[in-house]
Amino acid sequence: MGLALTLARRSFGAHPGRALFSILGVAVGIATGVAVFTLDHVTVLVRAGRAESSGADLEVRASPEHRDPRGELLAMEGVAGVAAFFQNDVRVRVPTSAELGLAAEASDGRPPAVARLVALEEGAGRTLGVYHVERGDDLGTGPGSDVLLGRALAEELALAPGDSVWLSPPARAAKAECVEGVLLHGEPAAAPREERFRVAGILAPEGVGRASKGRVALIGYEAGRALYSDVFVEAQFWLARDGAVDLEELEARLAKGFTFQHDQARAVGQMADERAFRNGVRVAGLFALLLGLFVIFHTLSMSLIERVREVGALTSLSASRLQIARVFFTEALVIAMAAGGLGLAGGLLLAKLLLGLGFSTLGMGPPTRLVDVPWHTVLLLAGLGVAIALLGSVYPILRLRSTDVVALLRGDDPVRRGARHSFHLFSTLLLVGVVPAAFFRVVPVVGAADRTLVSTLLLGLIVLGLLIGVPLLLPRLVARASSALARRLARRSVLVARLTGRNLEESPGRVGASISAMALVTAAFVGLKGMTASLAGETEVWGETALADRLLVEHLPDASLPEVRELLHRQPEVLGVEAGDARAFPSFLLLGQPAAELERHGPLADPALARAFHEEQGIVLSQRLARQRGLGAGDQVLVNTSGHGVQSFRVLAVSDAYGYFFHPDERAYGVIDERFLVRYFCTDVTSTASIAVKLAPGASPEAAVRALEERFPTARLKTYDGPGLVRIMLHDLTVDFLVFDVILLLTALLSAVGVLNGQLLAAIQRQKELGILRALGALPGQIGAVVLLEALVIGCLGGFLGALVGLGLTPVLVSALSVLSGLELPLCTAGAWVPFAISAAIGLSVAAGLYPVLAIRRWDAVRAVRTG
Amino acid sequence: MNPGGPIVRVSGLEKAHGDPPGRVQVLAGVELAIDARRFVCVMGPSGSGKSTLLHLISGLDEPTAGRVELAGEDLAKLSPAARTLLRRRTVGYVFQFFNLLPNLTVEENVELPLAIAGTASGPERAAVPGLLARFGIERRSAAFPHQLSGGEMQRTSIARALAGGQPLLLCDEPTGNLSQQAGLEVMQALREACDRDGRTVLLVTHNPRDATFADEVRFLVDGKIAATTLSGPGLKIDDVHAALARLAI
């Protein structure tokens, strides 16, 4: 066995705990990063899989006044590509044998199929990636008119690339159209004209190929116009978003002149609040990885001191630099590789566990399986952890090799201090600069890296740098503060106070690193709880407008809405009754309510606004929608209607006073007079299964509930009052943020491992000293008290420092989250979580000190006093 | 305690290290009794088990066989904690490698037994300045061990052994790492501890010069205490050399 392997093996054998906890530190860091990214990957994959997708980011319609909508869209900032298209039904017929000049076959009698037709600009459509060809050729590669068929349609008609097919608009009865609230049925269309197409290829079941479950035919845009020349077809556009621009930003630009609908699948996780949440989870993953690496650097820094003499001995025995480097590299390689493998496997297991429990990076949801592993990214993440750990291991040895051999052999303090100082600088730069940059290269931020996001990340890194760098920059301050605290805490025991105080003074780097680790986790916890408190505060503030004095009723049986309204208005405290089912979704949620039900409270209590609402196509926007679209009172909102083209509504007010029902994610909506909803969408407004009753301020909902129960004695009505709903939403918020708690718990464990490692290594270094104490009559309990007091001091200082930093960071984080998520967040602090966080830091630190205490009890005092 | 009886009584003491076949028998039936206020020296070559004998007497280590009585207490009958407390009350240690705590000053090192006993804030503390002065280290009281010479370190170590007031001083090659002159001063200090302070001193050494300070010199040969005994005071170094030659040490 080579020298390197022998020494590495002996080192592991001598201190298995040190090796184990070093591996554990890096492994937990890597595992958290891997788990977070896998969780996010599967979350988006599963949620996107549930939604129908065209493959483009947005589907846009232009109002007639646009002369060159395609050009305008292409020129718009944030648009990466545009492809015109239209959709219609199509009749698909297989040519008979006679038409093909062949003998008659039994299949000749096969009836034509009706499928969905998509006519798409060929070149632009291809570059947008809205379809992929599974078999055969793409459009435009043959001499004549080509068609691509969806898999299901091709199988149904037994068609393959190279076959011919007849396409024609279907002979439909009358087209139903909603005009002024009435569904009008037109004259039956004339017999359709057939065009012959060559089946160029078969579409893969994604994007357009997934439309109508694969019963789709895709042809070129011009060929489509020719085929449907007798039918009105409305041109639409598929848009690809430039990744550097957020979805809402592009939507806000589009809203000024177009109507649009974003692709549900491609928009999963792309909304502002979702992006903020997902980025938050990613940053938490980075934080865990950094802390894991911090732990191993901390351990290596301690080992370095221990091994200065070893390097000196090897050098004096004429070992080459390469041989020396190999000794330490071998040990580090074993630790890093074991940690990488363990971290990768542990991360995937953790992701599987979290998914199974319903965790996701978009809040809690139904349990999910680990349907896919993003191997490329997770392997890169694990590799990053391993590479940085290796780099951290080899660097100090490279530094030491240039040091005077005699000084190394003596283990001179300046040599130790110099090596440690340079190592701290190196590791701080690595952790604060290199690792975050590499991490975001592997796992990029979700959405645009705008100024707010970049500033927030930079601020986080600066705080991280300061917390890691402080022990390096101000070692005496850390030493004196911790020593003073230790002496104060152990006033009754001179031995414990003196030894702990001196140990802390002598090891500012170790103590500082442990304090930093504890402070980082505490600060993150306090900052997170401050953020969630602000989000909860936002819900409460919003609830005061949207849910105060409000009664929500579900599961109403089929009943006339006017009758229900009449019944409820007999109660003097009822100010208005809104119908939950009076809704449409023309690119955003649109509710229709009679002006009479809204004008006794909120902004429409102003008669002028109420009149405009009822008579002039006015709209009241919820705060969130107005913020998302950048709209305010007086702006126009374009609404794409079923039969009246694009209609414009004037924003009368921005308020949450009306229209909120039961879904927390339905806070972005607009309210119009119900007569416009009827006119443009033919929505039934005479019955509803759910209502929202607005009560006079302070009124009890009991009378209204009783009236409904008496009217519908057999119905199983479900009622919620405003405060009850707020409570439910706050609970949901807490549950959604549990994923952060899980990550923080892991980072807390990491910091505990860091403290444990530091304490253990310090104890190993002081093994002789502790043996002397035993020889002089000190009880194991007294020696243990020294270790535990150190841990207590680390926990106290780390906890308090972290709480201070966390409290200081909260306003900045809340303000950044406010910008990133599009929510108007009040500034709240972590409140009662602050003392909890400090206590947890202390408890965790002391718990981490228990292992070294147990290890010390097993040490042989005789061995300690025998040696020089 | 055992008023009037020997402060240390060792009988049939054996100690072996390791397992067969590589087992090494270090002590093979040591018989030894040391009366209070005596200065006893045990001589033997390197590896003869001198230090092991001290570790067994102090209760730091446990014998393979045999019995150790310290201040009248059978160590085998005591729990580890009780042994530690007995050592704390009875034994002051002086090591070859000084074994001062590097993070504590000279004064704090001397106070260490008091701190361990929880009496560092009590009246016992008053004796410390006197000890520093007596051993000539009062001007170095704020220095740390690495700032001292070998002699100063060992004098600090002796002051520490005396500070706790323990009746028995176990001295393990206390001059092994010192110059001739410094070693002489240390031995004078130990002699004074016996004569002036009434401490019992058990010294193990292979240095014939050190043995001349003892009241009684015994020899550890082949794991046993040899019958040859030299008695002082006034031992001559030639007598020690002659005894060593006789015993082929």
Side-chain angles (χ1 to χ4, degrees):
Chain A
M1 191 180 289
L3 174 71
L5 217 53
T6 307
L7 286 178
R9 199 165 59 87
R10 291 284 151 74
S11 173
F12 288 137
H15 301 301
R18 184 183 72 184
L20 179 71
F21 289 117
S22 297
I23 290 171
L24 201 62
V26 185
V28 174
I30 291 175
T32 311
V34 166
V36 160
F37 187 78
T38 307
L39 193 66
D40 188 50
H41 173 78
V42 175
T43 299
V44 173
L45 200 68
V46 168
R47 296 207 183 185
R50 288 186 195 137
E52 180 102 340
S53 173
S54 66
D57 291 307
L58 289 140
E59 200 172 298
V60 178
R61 289 180 185 191
S63 51
E65 60 265 25
H66 290 281
R67 282 185 162 184
D68 176 20
R70 192 179 187 287
E72 285 177 46
L73 288 169
L74 261 179
M76 191 175 285
E77 196 189 338
V79 175
V82 177
F85 78 99
F86 70 84
Q87 299 186 75
N88 214 313
D89 287 344
V90 69
R91 188 167 163 273
V92 186
R93 185 173 68 81
V94 180
T96 60
S97 305
E99 284 168 332
L100 295 171
L102 303 169
E105 282 183 17
S107 61
D108 283 351
R110 182 162 41 199
V114 175
R116 178 167 337 167
L117 177 110
V118 176
L120 176 67
E121 256 186 287
E122 287 170 28
R126 195 175 303 130
T127 51
L128 239 55
V130 293
Y131 71 91
H132 293 284
V133 179
E134 187 177 64
R135 271 188 299 138
D137 301 324
D138 203 345
L139 292 178
T141 51
S145 297
D146 288 341
V147 62
L148 295 170
L149 299 180
R151 196 192 276 176
L153 184 60
E155 283 171 4
E156 184 183 331
L157 298 175
L159 290 167
D163 291 343
S164 292
V165 73
W166 291 99
L167 300 184
S168 61
R172 285 181 294 194
K175 187 187 175 192
E177 199 175 353
C178 174
V179 176
E180 295 300 326
V182 180
L183 272 177
L184 299 178
H185 298 274
E187 291 297 314
R193 185 165 56 85
E194 284 188 323
E195 293 277 350
R196 192 162 168 168
F197 283 77
R198 180 183 75 97
V199 178
I202 307 300
L203 291 166
E206 55 189 272
V208 173
R210 236 177 96 184
S212 297
K213 297 182 178 168
R215 300 187 78 258
V216 61
L218 175 68
I219 60 175
Y221 189 76
E222 292 309 322
R225 292 303 295 249
L227 185 65
Y228 285 76
S229 56
D230 297 335
V231 182
F232 170 77
V233 287
E234 187 189 5
Q236 297 175 58
F237 301 92
W238 272 325
L239 243 67
R241 178 173 58 93
D242 180 349
V245 174
D246 288 330
L247 188 58
E248 294 94 336
E249 205 178 326
L250 181 55
E251 286 187 344
R253 282 181 199 141
L254 285 169
K256 292 183 170 46
F258 298 88
T259 60
F260 54 87
Q261 179 90 51
H262 61 238
D263 185 281
Q264 294 289 326
R266 292 178 69 86
V268 168
Q270 293 298 328
M271 303 313 291
D273 51 343
E274 294 174 333
R275 284 198 315 271
F277 197 90
R278 289 176 67 203
N279 280 328
V281 175
R282 282 170 187 229
V283 169
L286 166 65
F287 179 59
L289 182 64
L290 284 174
L291 211 56
L293 293 171
F294 186 48
V295 166
I296 193 170
F297 281 5
H298 180 31
T299 308
L300 289 167
S301 157
M302 300 278 299
S303 309
L304 177 65
I305 313 307
E306 187 190 329
R307 306 188 91 168
V308 163
R309 278 176 201 252
E310 206 172 323
V311 175
L314 287 169
T315 310
S316 66
L317 293 172
S318 306
S320 69
R321 289 172 181 182
L322 187 66
Q323 282 174 311
I324 294 174
R326 204 184 290 147
V327 167
F328 292 91
F329 185 78
T330 306
E331 192 178 329
L333 188 69
V334 172
I335 289 180
M337 294 302 286
L342 201 65
L344 185 61
L348 293 178
L349 270 175
L350 181 63
K352 187 177 160 70
L353 177 74
L354 291 175
L355 286 164
L357 291 171
F359 284 91
S360 82
T361 51
L362 294 173
M364 289 297 277
T368 314
R369 285 184 308 111
L370 180 61
V371 290
D372 188 48
V373 175
W375 283 112
H376 177 72
T377 307
V378 297
L379 284 173
L380 276 176
L381 271 177
L384 174 67
V386 169
I388 299 289
L390 277 178
L391 203 58
S393 319
V394 175
Y395 172 81
I397 307 309
L398 297 178
R399 275 274 313 167
L400 278 182
R401 69 184 190 181
S402 58
T403 311
D404 175 24
V405 180
V406 179
L408 283 173
L409 278 172
R410 279 200 310 262
D412 279 358
D413 269 0
V415 175
R416 294 177 179 200
R417 272 201 299 273
R420 191 160 54 190
H421 187 79
S422 128
F423 183 73
H424 276 163
L425 255 179
F426 173 77
S427 59
T428 304
L429 288 175
L430 211 56
L431 291 178
V432 179
V434 177
V435 177
F439 181 87
F440 284 120
R441 183 99 189 143
V442 177
V443 185
V445 293
V446 183
D450 60 16
R451 221 171 66 183
T452 311
L453 183 60
V454 172
S455 315
T456 311
L457 290 175
L458 278 177
L459 176 76
L461 289 177
I462 290 169
V463 171
L464 186 74
L466 281 177
L467 280 178
I468 292 177
V470 158
L472 175 72
L473 302 170
L474 304 166
R476 288 289 136 214
L477 181 70
V478 172
R480 286 194 185 140
S482 48
S483 168
L485 181 61
R487 288 171 195 272
R488 192 157 190 80
L489 286 172
R491 268 173 302 183
R492 296 179 62 187
S493 171
V494 173
L495 177 76
V496 175
R498 187 172 283 168
L499 288 178
T500 311
R502 281 289 151 78
N503 290 341
L504 291 168
E505 280 170 22
E506 287 296 312
S507 317
R510 171 178 65 82
V511 175
S514 296
I515 290 173
S516 297
M518 275 295 159
L520 280 170
V521 179
T522 312
F525 183 81
V526 170
L528 174 73
K529 289 300 172 191
M531 261 169 37
T532 44
S534 295
L535 283 166
E538 192 270 346
T539 301
E540 282 165 354
V541 170
W542 166 81
E544 281 170 17
T545 310
L547 294 170
D549 306 310
R550 215 169 165 87
L551 169 70
L552 297 169
V553 184
E554 275 187 322
H555 302 162
L556 274 174
D558 284 340
S560 147
L561 187 55
E563 184 204 333
V564 172
R565 283 192 167 123
E566 197 270 324
L567 171 78
L568 288 169
H569 277 299
R570 277 186 223 148
Q571 312 296 326
E573 68 276 15
V574 172
L575 301 181
V577 179
E578 297 172 30
D581 295 346
R583 54 177 58 201
F585 204 89
S587 85
F588 61 88
L589 176 61
L590 191 63
L591 295 146
Q593 307 296 344
E597 298 295 333
L598 310 180
E599 63 192 21
R600 290 176 67 193
H601 68 103
L604 298 186
D606 177 346
L609 287 183
R611 195 167 49 251
F613 181 78
H614 181 63
E615 293 170 5
E616 301 167 13
Q617 292 204 167
I619 187 168
V620 177
L621 295 185
S622 71
Q623 296 271 4
R624 189 173 287 186
L625 183 64
R627 206 171 157 117
Q628 278 178 6
R629 301 260 166 126
L631 295 169
D635 289 340
Q636 295 292 326
V637 179
L638 298 178
V639 174
N640 184 38
T641 69
S642 314
H644 293 263
V646 175
Q647 290 292 322
S648 178
F649 284 79
R650 183 163 66 90
V651 180
L652 300 175
V654 174
S655 169
D656 292 314
Y658 319 112
Y660 179 73
F661 277 82
F662 301 97
H663 309 291
D665 48 352
E666 284 186 356
R667 280 177 54 182
Y669 57 85
V671 181
I672 58 171
D673 192 287
E674 72 170 15
R675 72 193 187 90
F676 298 118
L677 197 74
V678 172
R679 181 189 290 175
Y680 299 133
F681 297 95
C682 288
T683 305
D684 173 25
V685 292
T686 57
S687 64
T688 187
S690 57
I691 55 170
V693 182
K694 179 68 182 179
L695 302 163
S700 162
E702 278 177 27
V705 172
R706 206 177 317 117
L708 286 168
E709 286 172 346
E710 283 169 5
R711 170 64 186 80
F712 303 107
T714 57
R716 303 179 73 179
L717 298 179
K718 207 165 175 184
T719 59
Y720 309 88
D721 59 4
L725 266 176
V726 169
R727 275 197 300 278
I728 291 172
M729 294 174 82
L730 292 178
H731 175 261
D732 287 350
L733 187 72
T734 309
V735 170
D736 281 348
F737 273 76
L738 270 179
V739 68
F740 284 98
D741 291 333
V742 170
I743 298 173
L744 278 180
L745 181 68
L746 288 171
T747 55
L749 286 178
L750 269 173
S751 61
V753 168
V755 173
L756 187 155
N757 249 356
Q759 298 280 92
L760 186 62
L761 285 169
I764 289 171
Q765 280 171 22
R766 296 206 306 265
Q767 201 164 0
K768 180 178 173 62
E769 196 179 319
L770 300 177
I772 296 165
L773 285 171
R774 293 282 302 279
L776 295 179
L779 289 165
Q782 286 176 299
I783 296 170
V786 174
V787 177
L788 287 181
L789 180 61
E790 260 192 54
L792 181 68
V793 168
I794 288 167
C796 283
L797 288 179
F800 277 103
L801 182 64
L804 279 178
V805 172
L807 285 171
L809 273 180
T810 303
V812 186
L813 290 174
V814 169
S815 139
L817 182 67
S818 185
V819 175
L820 291 172
S821 67
L823 299 173
E824 205 151 326
L825 300 176
L827 176 60
C828 299
T829 57
W833 287 109
V834 177
F836 171 83
I838 296 170
S839 311
I842 293 170
L844 209 59
S845 184
V846 171
L850 290 176
Y851 177 79
V853 169
L854 292 174
I856 288 168
R857 290 179 84 97
R858 291 196 298 267
W859 287 346
D860 182 6
V862 173
R863 189 173 160 189
V865 295
R866 285 184 84 98
T867 50
Chain B
M1 292 294 285
N2 184 24
I7 190 165
V8 175
R9 185 193 298 274
V10 169
S11 54
L13 194 66
E14 293 183 19
K15 179 69 182 176
H17 294 303
D19 297 315
R23 191 177 173 89
V24 178
Q25 190 73 34
V26 183
L27 299 179
V30 173
E31 303 287 341
L32 182 68
I34 301 169
D35 290 332
R37 298 169 180 262
R38 296 275 290 168
F39 190 136
V40 177
C41 172
V42 175
M43 292 196 77
S46 289
S48 60
K50 303 187 296 293
S51 297
T52 302
L53 178 63
L54 291 193
H55 297 147
L56 293 171
I57 289 172
S58 66
L60 269 181
D61 204 355
E62 291 179 24
T64 314
R67 178 184 166 101
V68 177
E69 275 180 42
L70 178 63
E73 302 257 14
D74 183 351
L75 294 187
K77 290 181 180 167
L78 300 178
S79 68
R83 276 206 304 271
T84 302
L85 290 175
L86 177 63
R87 180 165 65 247
R88 185 191 290 178
R89 287 195 307 272
T90 316
V91 178
Y93 244 119
V94 181
F95 303 98
Q96 177 182 358
F97 298 106
F98 325 127
N99 284 342
L100 300 174
L101 295 200
N103 295 342
L104 299 187
T105 61
V106 165
E107 187 172 0
E108 287 166 344
N109 263 293
V110 173
E111 276 178 20
L112 194 56
L114 303 178
I116 289 172
T119 56
S121 309
E124 295 87 341
R125 166 76 184 74
V128 172
L131 281 169
L132 293 172
R134 176 172 153 191
F135 290 99
I137 46 177
E138 77 276 27
R139 294 174 69 180
R140 309 287 281 153
S141 63
F144 286 93
H146 69 271
Q147 297 167 319
L148 303 179
S149 68
E152 286 172 327
M153 278 199 262
Q154 198 58 297
R155 291 206 300 276
T156 305
S157 175
I158 296 168
R160 178 177 71 185
L162 293 175
Q166 296 93 336
L168 175 65
L169 294 189
L170 298 181
C171 308
D172 189 356
E173 303 269 15
T175 63
N177 264 356
L178 300 178
S179 66
Q180 189 75 4
Q181 181 56 35
L184 194 63
E185 286 169 12
V186 163
M187 288 314 301
Q188 283 165 348
L190 289 175
R191 182 70 248 180
E192 196 177 284
C194 181
D195 297 340
R196 178 171 152 184
D197 303 314
R199 310 295 170 93
T200 309
V201 177
L202 174 56
L203 166 75
V204 299
T205 183
H206 63 267
N207 186 334
R209 195 268 326 266
D210 292 354
T212 60
F213 286 82
D215 298 325
E216 181 183 337
V217 181
R218 310 294 301 271
F219 298 91
L220 191 57
V221 183
D222 297 330
K224 292 180 179 167
I225 297 291
T228 306
T229 303
L230 300 178
S231 297
L235 265 174
K236 299 282 185 281
I237 196 163
D238 292 341
D239 299 336
V240 179
H241 277 301
L244 288 171
R246 267 201 309 281
L247 292 166
I249 295 174

